[in-house]
């Protein structure tokens, strides 16, 4: 099925961290508690979202005071929902593949095949130092993540699995039971540096990248898809966007301006400094945050850059444009999560589906 034929998928960021998705002192009707997140997940699955993504951070980041652990929090959300898939962030280093494979296979059984993972390779050195974890240099972190993913896939799909890597080893190991999902639990990855893209083109099911313009995203996507093709591998693409949908464009722009005007300058600058250990530290100098301005960093995955800010019609048109450059999934963040997820489901999503249907008719007419 071509990109144009398949409907675009929607995911949302689970606010399992206090302070929401923007590093700003603006009022946010969003809460990191379990109770709020259960209500949000139930609203999201009713509103047409297929996935939710939890975040992992061992030390508070972006000036946030509290953050729940990703795998157990994901399981908590899955227990209270019916259709939603929850993607738990996992950090190789603190997580070892043997434990991750076993733990996730069990959650897959408990939730009828609705857990997924996002393998994050790490960019925050202070976090690794604080918990006594080794800090391999940038590309080695991706080499380790690739071994991590190959190990999980091996353990989840084979009996008597053996692997002799630099970071991980398995000898004649059989996991039982295997996960419910076949061929295995879905594997997402975060990151957009050269090393991250190359890993995606070899092993990941999904590649998640920071917010960006359609033209910049197209460059990344073409690069990954070309390499993936050469490796006989298929990878789907998810892009981050901080969505501000309001009845008028002026209202939406005013909200964006208020978020930026109320930015926590010290926390944004500290975050900007920490991101220098991401793709910017490589010889290519490419990757997430390598070109981010102060304003971009106020949403910590460059979500304003995707520009899903405006009226429902404007946003729907831009989503369809993202699809036309090869995006399969929009990962969304919101200021006031529950109410905005509901507004999105009611006002924006039906327009996206209408535009997709129109495009579909054009494609069919051309091929008739
Ligand atoms: C959608 C998305 C979600 C991410 N979630 C996390 C996370 O929960 N915890 C974390 O430490 N890093 C997270 N990351 C960071 C990436 O895994 C990676 O370390 C970072 O983007 C640097 O990438 P680069 O070195 O390829 O530029 C996320 C990245 C993206 C794009």
């Amino acid at each position: 099925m071509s990109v144009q034929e398949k409907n675009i998928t929607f995911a949302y960021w689970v606010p399992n961290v206090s302070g929401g998705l923007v590093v700003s002192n603006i009022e946010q009707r969003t809460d990191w508690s379990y109770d709020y997140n259960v209500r949000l997940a139930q609203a999201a699955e009713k509103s047409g979202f297929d996935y939710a993504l939890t975040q992992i951070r061992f030390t508070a980041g972006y000036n946030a005071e509290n953050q729940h652990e990703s795998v157990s929090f994901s399981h908590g959300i899955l227990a209270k929902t019916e259709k939603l898939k929850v993607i738990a962030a996992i950090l190789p280093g603190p997580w070892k593949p043997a434990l991750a494979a076993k733990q996730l296979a069990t959650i897959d059984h408990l939730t009828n095949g609705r857990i997924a993972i996002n393998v994050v390779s790490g960019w925050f050195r202070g976090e690794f130092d604080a918990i006594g974890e080794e800090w391999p240099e940038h590309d080695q972190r991706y080499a380790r993540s690739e071994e991590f993913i190959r190990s999980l896939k091996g353990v989840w799909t084979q009996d008597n699995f053996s692997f002799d890597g630099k970071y991980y080893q398995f000898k004649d190991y059989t996991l039982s039971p295997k996960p419910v999902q076949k061929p295995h639990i879905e594997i997402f990855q975060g990151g957009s540096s050269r090393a991250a893209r190359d890993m995606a083109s070899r092993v990941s099911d999904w590649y998640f990248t920071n917010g960006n313009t359609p033209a910049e995203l197209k460059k990344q996507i073409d690069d990954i898809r070309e390499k993936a093709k050469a490796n006989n591998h298929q990878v789907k693409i998810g892009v981050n966007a901080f969505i501000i949908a309001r009845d008028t464009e002026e209202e939406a722009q005013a909200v964006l301006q208020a978020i930026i005007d109320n930015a926590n300058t010290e926390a944004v600058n500290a975050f900007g400094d920490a991101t220098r250990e991401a793709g910017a530290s490589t010889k290519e100098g490419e990757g997430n945050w390598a070109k981010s301005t102060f304003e971009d960093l106020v949403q910590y995955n460059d979500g304003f850059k995707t520009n899903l800010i405006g009226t429902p019609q404007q946003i729907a048109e831009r989503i369809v444009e993202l699809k036309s450059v090869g995006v399969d999934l929009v990962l969304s963040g919101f200021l006031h999560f529950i109410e905005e997820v509901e507004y999105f489901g009611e006002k924006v999503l039906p327009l996206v589906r209408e535009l997709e249907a129109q495009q579909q008719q054009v494609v069919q007419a051309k091929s008739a």
Side-chain angles (χ1 to χ4, degrees):
M1 204 179 261
S2 80
V3 171
Q4 300 296 324
E5 283 169 70
K6 215 167 174 275
N7 278 348
I8 199 153
T9 301
F10 292 96
Y12 74 90
W13 287 90
V14 173
N16 58 319
V17 53
S18 59
L21 272 285
V22 286
V23 191
S24 174
N25 299 321
I26 192 171
E27 186 218 355
Q28 297 190 57
R29 292 188 290 281
T30 289
D31 195 275
W32 60 286
S33 67
Y34 181 50
D35 175 57
Y36 180 89
N37 269 288
V38 167
R39 285 188 285 119
L40 169 59
Q42 291 170 346
E45 69 179 0
K46 274 204 200 105
S47 300
F49 286 79
D50 290 322
Y51 291 93
L53 170 72
T54 55
Q55 312 161 56
I56 185 64
R57 170 99 318 110
F58 281 84
T59 54
Y62 332 120
N63 209 36
E65 282 170 22
N66 295 291
Q67 181 150 1
H68 283 302
E69 186 276 321
S70 48
V71 175
S72 40
F73 206 73
S74 299
H75 185 207
I77 293 173
L78 287 164
K80 301 280 187 178
T81 48
E82 284 166 13
K83 301 184 290 192
L84 195 69
K85 277 190 102 166
V86 184
I87 314 159
I90 302 247
L91 198 51
W95 266 275
K96 304 288 178 273
L99 177 59
K102 183 108 186 130
Q103 177 184 38
L104 291 155
T106 294
I107 298 178
D108 210 39
H109 280 264
L110 297 176
T111 62
N112 200 19
R114 291 190 293 126
I115 187 84
I117 56 165
N118 182 27
V119 176
V120 302
S121 296
W123 53 271
F124 187 16
R125 184 177 186 149
E127 171 182 48
F128 277 62
D129 289 346
I131 61 171
E133 281 290 335
E134 186 196 346
W135 179 250
E137 61 86 23
H138 182 273
D139 290 5
Q140 277 304 309
R141 298 201 293 278
Y142 281 93
R144 177 169 70 179
S145 293
E146 185 163 339
E147 284 194 11
F148 190 91
I149 294 174
R150 288 187 189 277
S151 299
L152 289 182
K153 284 186 175 179
V155 171
W156 283 337
T157 60
Q158 297 170 31
D159 285 343
N160 306 106
F161 174 67
S162 294
F163 185 81
D164 190 17
K166 177 173 170 193
Y167 294 98
Y168 305 116
Q169 294 79 35
F170 286 84
K171 201 169 157 202
D172 216 11
Y173 175 58
T174 299
L175 173 77
S176 193
K178 301 266 190 294
V180 173
Q181 290 174 71
K182 299 294 175 228
H184 53 73
I185 290 170
E186 274 187 294
I187 300 174
F188 291 67
Q189 74 160 85
S192 72
S193 54
R194 179 73 272 146
R197 293 182 201 186
D198 289 351
M199 180 172 93
S201 75
R202 288 192 289 262
V203 291
S204 308
D205 299 321
W206 287 88
Y207 169 86
F208 262 146
T209 188
N210 276 6
N212 221 325
T213 59
E216 288 298 318
L217 289 166
K218 185 173 186 319
K219 282 190 218 159
Q220 280 188 51
I221 297 170
D222 289 351
D223 174 70
I224 293 171
R225 290 237 158 95
E226 202 181 301
K227 286 202 167 168
K229 201 169 164 199
N231 296 330
N232 207 10
H233 178 71
Q234 282 200 337
V235 55
K236 288 177 274 187
I237 311 287
V239 63
N240 177 48
F242 192 83
I243 300 182
I244 309 177
R246 297 291 185 273
D247 292 345
T248 66
E249 189 179 1
E250 292 69 36
E251 260 179 282
Q253 288 298 336
V255 172
L256 172 64
Q257 201 51 53
I259 294 172
I260 291 169
D261 290 346
N262 287 285
N264 180 335
T265 311
E266 205 183 313
V268 174
N269 286 331
F271 168 53
D273 289 343
T275 63
R276 299 290 125 219
E277 294 275 349
S281 71
T282 60
K283 65 176 181 318
E284 306 83 13
E286 285 176 3
N288 282 341
W289 308 295
K291 295 181 188 148
S292 305
T293 63
F294 177 89
E295 293 189 359
D296 295 330
L297 292 168
V298 175
Q299 199 297 301
Y300 49 76
N301 282 92
D302 279 353
F304 303 144
K305 272 192 188 170
T306 318
N307 194 22
L308 299 188
I309 298 168
T311 64
Q313 183 66 30
Q314 289 173 318
I315 293 175
E317 285 169 9
R318 290 175 197 153
I319 289 173
V320 172
E321 192 185 351
L322 291 173
K323 189 177 161 184
S324 72
V325 298
V327 171
D328 301 290
L329 177 152
V330 173
L331 170 64
S332 43
F334 300 93
L335 189 63
H336 308 302
F337 261 88
I338 294 182
E339 56 206 80
E340 297 197 35
V341 152
E342 285 172 342
Y343 182 93
F344 184 86
E346 211 178 299
K347 303 272 168 95
V348 184
L349 222 151
L351 294 177
V352 175
R353 298 300 180 227
E354 247 175 60
L355 292 173
E356 287 179 314
Q358 283 168 16
Q359 274 194 344
Q360 190 52 30
Q361 281 170 357
V362 174
V363 173
Q364 278 166 358
K366 273 190 191 152
S367 61

